[in-house]
Amino acid sequence: MQSQPRPSGRTRMRVITNSFAVTRVPTVVLFQYDVISPTLKPDNPRRRSEIIDKMQLTNANIFPRRGMYDGKNIFYTIGYKVENMTIPVQLNKSDKTPYIVRLTNTTYIDSNTLNDMVSSNGRAYRQGGDQNQAAINALQLIVRQAANMRHGFPLQAKSFFTKDGAKELGGGLQAWRGYFQSVRPVLGRLLVNVDVTHSAVVKAGPLLDVAMEFCNFRDIRDLAALPTDPNPQRWLKLQRFLKGVLIKPGSQFAKWSKGRPIRALIPNAGGYEFHVNGQPTTVRQYFQQKYNFALRYSTVFGIQIGKDAVFPAEVCTITPGQLYKKKLSEDQTKSFVSLAVQKPHQRLGSIESAVSGDRQLLDYQQSDFLATAGMVISTRPLEVEGHVLTPPQVLFGGRQASPINNGAWNVMGRQFLTPKKIDKLMVLVCVDPSERQAVEYFTKALVGNLTKLGSYAGGAPYFHIANLQNMRKTLEEVHKMQPGFVLVILPASAAIPRRYIKFWSSVISGIPTQCVRKGKYDSGKGLDQYCNNVALKMHAKYGGINSVVYAPIMDKLMGTMIIGCDVSHPAPGVNNRPSFASMVASVDRFASYWTSAIELQKPRQEIIEAIGPMFQTLLNAFVAFPENQGRCPHTVIVYRDGVSEGEYETVAAAEYDQIKRVLQSKEITRNTKVVFIIVTKRHHTRFFPERGAGDRSGNCPPGFVVEDQIVHSAIPDYYLLSHSGIIGTSRPSHYIVLRNDAQMTQQQLQELSFNLCHSYAAATRSVSIPTPVYYAD
């Protein structure tokens, strides 16, 4: 699918991106080596980096210029070659035996490799395989290492963060702002993508202070008593929070150049017993005798480092800049988002300042790695031209179209396209009795809106008072009453009851539910619009069709099945729960009726193992749908979410091949064409319109597309911003067309994707990714 002339009638628009052109590629040869260190554990990148650094410093005759290391198994030299060799490295004078490092030259990268990677035929990138991946890895390190070293982050890190403007999140955490960098091969050149990014960071400083803040304690005695607290969860939470955090004892106790990870917490550290020269002692006695240091808080926990070293918490300090990867609390998330949100012109200003401002945060002008390689990066962001697609029509009852304004429309004065009347409505009240009047007022307004939309059967709803302390018993009572639909009124914060209600609805009873919470149903402002939004969700869950999307491209969908696929993984840090693979598929020409399939699979596995049997289930449902009269689809369009760039070909080959095998297994579907598209928001490309040229939020308008200039050099792709910005800088979705048996044009795929962003049943505005992907998620 080649880039095609833009159709007439599309509004063109010129924008600034957060990409910077590489104006001169490396002029020297880069040599790659495998690094093997049999004396060092592979899961210790911090120590491995220290050893490789020491290896170069103590062997300047072998390494005249500093090389680049990815922290794992790959090392590069810039402009000179090192023979295969084994080098002993003594990291510290106290080391009894040196570490052994073996370097084996595996490949090299020269200007021919780089030119092939961005060539117009696209073949080189796919056929180059390992060679091109080596080139990309080397370029990433050239660009990133100077800034990472300067700011104290791992050599191979994609982003670094600074504490300037840090925001307190509570619970021992802060939010830091940082910068992401990535080299990308596009058609005819290389670009460096730079973006603002944010991360939660463990607060640096005295370990006791951070532990007290995490536990929300004011008295140190509470911290000392924590291991024997009747509620063991609080002690377990502190252990989980601190495990792996890097600390340093005071310099009088240990001469460490860098922090070391906490292995475990030791209750009553001062009383912890161990042996010195065969004689028993305690940590309290040892610190008094060896360091003449009397512990102030000897009953407070200590920390274990390595196999058997124990330090009292009061002598330890948490080192700065440690990223926190685990889940944030609801309050912490709100505080984090308030820092992360930046208007488009503010975000662009931050990026430009980092690249070319006085502080030179990215070090493009001073980097020894860039200078040695002869690589030059422009300090001006790239300008590109895109175009704005025409939105489709959203049709309601009587084929009435609701006007779309800046990606949004209204259901007022409309009726649902295919109304299904909700019968036997129960209102499950989970809030304080003092809220009764507000609940009744909201319910009356909601029933009124459902009636106007043609989806209420009549009769007064039945109110049932819930017992939040025994939700299981409450729902057993509800189940016996067999309501047709349950509207659940929840307090402002009720994550656990809501989770159980949804489990009961989906797994146990099959009775549809809709949850609303305090702060929404009683806000007063915008109640009518809120009731309409709730009505949309309720009607869709009850089996009705709210509306359909129509545009000329939809006429071509007769006999087409559209599929959304996703894999949902457990929360960060959770490795003992399975991942969920899910697929949804349209069965009618307007993509308004959907069927689904779901399977469990190994934790954190991205490829959908059972995609073949799941697809067969969807295919059977398509054939059985009355409109299709037993016919199979002539085209299957797959939108696949959740795939990182390095997994494109692996996932496509595995999943596309399984789908094709199912189709090839029957004569009737052997000619069915498959289009396989990756859609992702896991990228850092942003678009910044000129002041006054964007929408009310300062972002590009919905439907803005870029299909050249910054797209992949080898794989057909495009960026589509399909939704209206509300706060912050909008992120376009990236569509990568990996298989296109149907030979659909770029224009057709863009219009189809944009239209499908308007068919999400629970919204009256376009969404950021196609509806089947949302449904799969």
Side-chain angles (χ1 to χ4, degrees):
M1 184 174 61
Q2 301 297 319
S3 178
Q4 300 167 8
R6 296 188 180 91
S8 60
R10 293 185 177 188
T11 304
R12 296 190 179 187
M13 185 174 185
R14 195 157 186 85
V15 299
I16 299 173
T17 74
N18 57 338
S19 292
F20 297 79
V22 176
T23 56
R24 189 170 70 196
V25 300
T27 55
V28 299
V29 179
L30 310 174
F31 295 91
Q32 177 179 300
Y33 309 83
D34 279 348
V35 177
I36 300 175
S37 182
T39 56
L40 183 62
K41 294 180 179 179
D43 59 350
N44 195 338
R46 176 184 58 85
R47 180 58 58 88
R48 295 176 75 91
S49 297
E50 291 177 5
I51 292 169
I52 297 300
D53 198 37
K54 190 67 174 287
M55 175 191 75
Q56 297 180 80
L57 290 174
T58 55
N59 294 276
N61 58 322
I62 301 175
F63 305 98
R65 292 180 296 279
R66 187 169 188 156
M68 304 178 301
Y69 180 50
D70 73 347
K72 297 178 182 178
N73 304 308
I74 304 296
F75 179 73
Y76 296 92
T77 54
I78 306 174
Y80 65 93
K81 184 179 180 181
V82 173
E83 298 301 323
N84 297 345
M85 61 177 62
T86 299
I87 305 174
V89 180
Q90 187 166 8
L91 192 59
N92 302 302
K93 292 181 179 179
S94 59
D95 291 341
K96 295 180 181 179
T97 57
Y99 293 96
I100 303 300
V101 178
R102 295 175 187 159
L103 296 180
T104 304
N105 182 242
T106 54
T107 189
Y108 67 91
I109 299 103
D110 61 9
S111 58
N112 290 330
T113 307
L114 301 178
N115 290 333
D116 286 346
M117 194 163 53
V118 298
S119 65
S120 60
N121 61 31
R123 291 195 300 263
Y125 188 85
R126 279 179 166 166
Q127 294 174 353
D130 294 342
Q131 180 77 358
N132 286 293
Q133 191 58 54
I136 289 294
N137 291 343
L139 292 171
Q140 304 287 26
L141 291 173
I142 291 173
V143 170
R144 293 170 177 164
Q145 282 214 347
N148 286 347
M149 292 170 64
R150 176 182 171 188
H151 297 285
F153 281 81
L155 302 178
Q156 73 281 11
K158 296 179 181 179
S159 305
F160 66 86
F161 301 85
T162 69
K163 64 180 179 181
D164 296 344
K167 184 180 182 66
E168 295 293 331
L169 299 179
L173 298 177
Q174 295 176 323
W176 285 18
R177 180 169 289 157
Y179 296 89
F180 165 90
Q181 305 174 83
S182 179
V183 179
R184 297 187 59 79
V186 301
L187 196 59
R189 60 182 165 183
L190 295 170
L191 299 178
V192 178
N193 180 211
V194 179
D195 194 20
V196 176
T197 187
H198 302 83
S199 179
V201 174
V202 179
K203 200 169 181 178
L207 176 58
L208 279 185
D209 291 353
V210 175
M212 292 282 286
E213 182 179 324
F214 177 82
C215 297
N216 197 26
F217 288 157
R218 294 186 177 181
D219 192 329
I220 192 70
R221 289 173 293 187
D222 293 332
L223 194 62
L226 190 60
T228 57
D229 192 303
N231 180 5
Q233 288 301 315
R234 301 171 75 184
W235 173 240
L236 290 172
K237 286 181 179 178
L238 180 62
Q239 293 181 78
R240 285 195 291 267
F241 174 71
L242 290 176
K243 186 174 182 180
V245 171
L246 303 180
I247 63 94
K248 287 177 66 175
S251 58
Q252 68 269 42
F253 308 118
K255 306 293 184 182
W256 294 356
S257 60
K258 296 185 178 181
R260 298 184 185 179
I262 295 174
R263 184 171 182 177
L265 302 191
I266 307 297
N268 186 20
Y272 179 79
E273 294 184 351
F274 62 103
H275 288 77
V276 177
N277 298 324
Q279 298 299 314
T281 188
T282 64
V283 168
R284 184 190 307 107
Q285 294 167 342
Y286 182 80
F287 271 72
Q288 181 68 60
Q289 294 168 3
K290 184 172 178 64
Y291 304 111
N292 192 29
F293 183 87
L295 298 181
R296 294 180 62 194
Y297 309 114
S298 64
T299 58
V300 175
F301 71 87
I303 51 127
Q304 180 183 343
I305 302 293
K307 292 183 179 180
D308 50 17
V310 174
F311 291 89
E314 67 182 85
V315 306
C316 298
T317 300
I318 295 176
T319 60
Q322 298 183 58
L323 306 188
Y324 184 77
K325 300 292 188 180
K326 300 171 186 175
K327 190 174 182 180
L328 300 178
S329 70
E330 187 174 337
D331 289 339
Q332 288 172 333
T333 300
K334 289 179 182 177
S335 298
F336 183 87
V337 169
S338 69
L339 174 72
V341 169
Q342 284 184 295
K343 292 183 177 180
H345 69 275
Q346 293 173 331
R347 193 183 196 101
L348 179 60
S350 297
I351 293 168
E352 291 179 313
S353 176
V355 173
S356 58
D358 295 338
R359 296 174 63 199
Q360 288 288 314
L361 290 175
L362 298 182
D363 277 335
Y364 290 163
Q365 310 304 313
Q366 290 84 23
S367 169
D368 290 340
F369 297 102
L370 286 170
T372 302
M375 185 173 174
V376 178
I377 302 170
S378 171
T379 56
R380 293 190 60 183
L382 190 68
E383 290 188 25
V384 300
E385 187 176 83
H387 54 271
V388 182
L389 300 174
T390 301
Q393 291 182 306
V394 179
L395 303 179
F396 287 88
R399 312 294 285 183
Q400 284 187 304
S402 186
I404 296 179
N405 180 23
N406 198 33
W409 57 94
N410 204 312
V411 300
M412 293 185 68
R414 302 286 185 267
Q415 285 204 329
F416 289 137
L417 182 74
T418 309
K420 189 171 183 181
K421 296 185 181 296
I422 295 174
D423 193 17
K424 296 191 292 185
L425 175 64
M426 173 185 284
V427 182
L428 184 60
V429 182
C430 304
V431 293
D432 190 88
S434 62
E435 296 288 322
R436 179 70 185 237
Q437 186 174 355
V439 169
E440 290 181 349
Y441 183 80
F442 166 73
T443 303
K444 182 178 179 180
L446 176 62
V447 168
N449 284 36
L450 284 167
T451 302
K452 292 176 186 176
L453 290 163
S455 61
Y456 193 69
Y462 173 72
F463 288 82
H464 186 73
I465 306 301
N467 180 354
L468 268 179
Q469 306 305 316
N470 194 347
M471 186 57 71
R472 181 187 297 271
K473 182 179 179 181
T474 296
L475 293 174
E476 286 175 354
E477 295 170 354
V478 171
H479 201 173
K480 292 177 182 177
M481 299 177 195
Q482 284 296 299
F485 199 105
V486 180
L487 175 67
V488 185
I489 312 292
L490 289 170
S493 180
I496 294 176
R498 182 187 182 279
R499 197 155 48 235
Y500 185 72
I501 288 165
K502 289 301 178 183
F503 177 82
W504 171 83
S505 172
S506 301
V507 179
I508 297 175
S509 70
I511 299 172
T513 59
Q514 177 63 47
C515 295
V516 298
R517 63 182 178 87
K518 182 173 173 55
K520 289 288 189 178
Y521 69 81
D522 59 345
S523 63
K525 184 180 179 181
L527 181 62
D528 189 60
Q529 183 61 48
Y530 180 65
C531 286
N532 278 335
N533 291 340
V534 173
L536 286 169
K537 298 175 183 178
M538 292 176 64
H539 185 243
K541 291 176 182 179
Y542 202 64
I545 301 298
N546 296 342
S547 59
V548 295
V549 171
Y550 178 74
I553 185 67
M554 306 303 281
D555 289 332
K556 301 180 183 296
L557 294 186
M558 179 69 78
T560 297
M561 173 191 280
I562 301 174
I563 295 177
C565 307
D566 191 27
V567 179
S568 298
H569 301 295
V574 179
N575 297 308
N576 59 350
R577 295 181 183 177
S579 293
F580 289 85
S582 55
M583 297 176 68
V584 300
S586 65
V587 294
D588 70 312
R589 62 172 296 196
F590 290 108
S592 57
Y593 288 94
W594 299 86
T595 186
S596 64
I598 188 168
E599 291 286 347
L600 298 179
Q601 60 184 41
K602 297 173 186 175
R604 309 208 174 277
Q605 177 173 299
E606 191 52 58
I607 294 175
I608 301 177
E609 282 184 328
I611 196 169
M614 293 169 73
F615 173 65
Q616 183 66 68
T617 300
L618 303 180
L619 190 60
N620 294 342
F622 182 95
V623 173
F625 191 70
E627 176 185 295
N628 298 318
Q629 299 179 356
R631 292 188 294 265
C632 292
H634 58 71
T635 304
V636 174
I637 301 174
V638 180
Y639 286 98
R640 177 66 159 90
D641 188 21
V643 181
S644 61
E645 187 168 358
E647 298 173 311
Y648 287 168
E649 283 297 332
T650 303
V651 170
E655 298 180 356
Y656 168 85
D657 287 352
Q658 283 197 58
I659 291 173
K660 288 293 286 185
R661 278 199 292 271
V662 172
L663 294 172
Q664 292 294 320
S665 66
K666 295 180 181 179
E667 183 68 33
I668 194 172
T669 54
R670 284 184 182 172
N671 293 322
T672 298
K673 308 298 184 184
V674 177
V675 181
F676 197 98
I677 305 170
I678 301 292
V679 54
T680 181
K681 296 185 73 177
R682 294 183 189 176
H683 64 83
H684 287 266
T685 297
R686 301 291 186 273
F687 301 123
F688 305 95
E690 295 180 358
R691 290 283 190 105
D695 62 14
R696 286 174 295 183
S697 67
N699 286 286
C700 296
F704 180 70
V705 175
V706 173
E707 62 186 10
D708 50 26
Q709 305 162 85
I710 60 169
V711 298
H712 208 288
S713 60
I715 305 172
D717 64 324
Y718 56 90
Y719 292 91
L720 168 61
L721 185 66
S722 55
H723 63 293
S724 173
I726 299 177
I727 58 172
T729 305
S730 296
R731 183 188 325 209
S733 293
H734 189 196
Y735 296 78
I736 304 95
V737 186
L738 294 181
R739 302 289 187 273
N740 189 6
D741 301 344
Q743 294 297 300
M744 295 181 71
T745 66
Q746 188 90 305
Q747 177 185 346
Q748 288 174 330
L749 291 173
Q750 291 169 11
E751 291 179 354
L752 173 62
S753 300
F754 186 43
N755 291 344
L756 288 173
C757 293
H758 291 75
S759 61
Y760 189 60
T764 54
R765 58 192 314 120
S766 55
V767 292
S768 60
I769 53 178
T771 292
V773 178
Y774 258 116
Y775 288 168
D777 182 66

